[in-house]
């Protein structure tokens, strides 16, 4: 396609401007930005020194527009990333790693087995104290034993748990 006079290039651009605007608006999802990119496309087309050597000028026009749209989108993405700020702890996943979760479950199973193996009175005192959150006096009242006896059962339970868990 041979277009030497500037008026012919302008006419060519105006002929394809509507399609170009639709293309750019679809690409960047903003009519104002599409208008700016359309103007920049025209400037780039006019600045090309050997327009008359281009075989498919319409394809070249849309290639320029596509490249400008991609550059704009990349730039906008970088800008949004800069504005987002640094990665903070609230953005980091707080869930434990699968290995840590498995190890935790295994330790919990071991602890449950150790507690189950405690003598019945020690187990009952331990669970009332550590699981239900009761004081030694409350446990003593509930089991009709003295708080000192509750303390003795707790000491015995904790010693057995510590020995078997290590």
């Amino acid at each position: 396609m041979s277009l030497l006079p500037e008026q012919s290039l302008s006419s060519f651009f105006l002929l394809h401007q509507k399609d170009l605007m639709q293309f750019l608006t679809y690409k960047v999802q903003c009519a104002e930005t599409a208008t700016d990119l359309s103007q920049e496309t025209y400037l780039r087309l006019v600045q090309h020194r050997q327009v008359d050597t281009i075989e498919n000028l319409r394809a070249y026009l849309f290639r320029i527009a596509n490249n400008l749209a991609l550059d704009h989108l990349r730039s906008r993405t970088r800008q949004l990333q800069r504005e987002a700020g640094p990665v903070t702890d609230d953005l980091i996943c707080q869930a434990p790693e699968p290995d840590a979760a498995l190890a935790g479950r295994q330790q919990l199973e071991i602890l449950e087995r150790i507690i189950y193996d405690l003598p019945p009175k020690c187990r009952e005192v331990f669970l009332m104290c550590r699981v239900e959150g009761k004081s030694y006096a409350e446990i003593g009242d509930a089991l009709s034993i003295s708080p000192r006896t509750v303390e003795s059962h707790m000491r015995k339970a904790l010693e057995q748990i510590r020995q078997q868990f290590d």
Side-chain angles (χ1 to χ4, degrees):
M1 178 174 229
S2 147
L3 292 172
L4 292 176
E6 172 136 351
Q7 188 143 12
S8 299
L9 198 54
S10 298
S11 306
F12 171 79
F13 182 79
L14 290 174
L15 178 67
H16 297 288
Q17 187 175 18
K18 182 180 176 185
D19 293 338
L20 188 65
M21 281 297 296
Q22 287 177 342
F23 173 76
L24 287 169
T25 303
Y26 174 77
K27 280 289 223 186
V28 297
Q29 299 295 308
C30 174
E32 291 176 15
T33 303
T35 301
D36 292 343
L37 292 174
S38 173
Q39 291 172 1
E40 181 66 25
T41 301
Y42 176 72
L43 291 175
R44 298 257 176 115
L45 183 65
V46 170
Q47 290 173 354
H48 189 69
R49 299 198 188 281
Q50 299 175 338
V51 174
D52 56 331
T53 62
I54 299 171
E55 287 184 33
N56 188 342
L57 196 54
R58 185 176 194 283
Y60 183 70
L61 178 72
F62 277 83
R63 173 59 67 190
I64 292 171
N66 188 54
N67 289 343
L68 288 171
L70 290 175
D71 288 346
H72 169 77
L73 292 173
R74 285 185 196 119
S75 174
R76 189 171 68 186
T77 300
R78 283 190 302 272
Q79 181 181 6
L80 290 173
Q81 287 172 344
R82 281 192 304 271
E83 290 173 359
V87 175
T88 58
D89 287 340
D90 60 330
L91 294 177
I92 298 172
C93 179
Q94 300 297 326
E97 294 289 325
D99 296 347
L102 178 62
R105 280 195 303 272
Q106 289 173 342
Q107 286 181 340
L108 185 59
E109 288 172 6
I110 292 170
L111 182 60
E112 286 175 347
R113 192 172 352 102
I114 292 170
I115 292 170
Y116 180 77
D117 289 343
L118 289 172
K121 195 57 102 174
C122 285
R123 179 177 53 242
E124 189 174 13
V125 167
F126 178 81
L127 292 174
M128 289 176 82
C129 181
R130 295 300 167 111
V131 176
E132 297 175 22
K134 294 184 177 182
S135 69
Y136 286 180
E138 292 172 325
I139 296 169
D141 289 343
L143 299 177
S144 301
I145 57 176
S146 71
R148 203 150 167 88
T149 305
V150 171
E151 182 180 348
S152 173
H153 284 301
M154 274 300 291
R155 190 177 321 106
K156 184 177 179 183
L158 290 173
E159 284 175 14
Q160 285 187 2
I161 290 170
R162 197 172 297 118
Q163 284 175 358
Q164 292 183 18
F165 205 79
D166 290 336

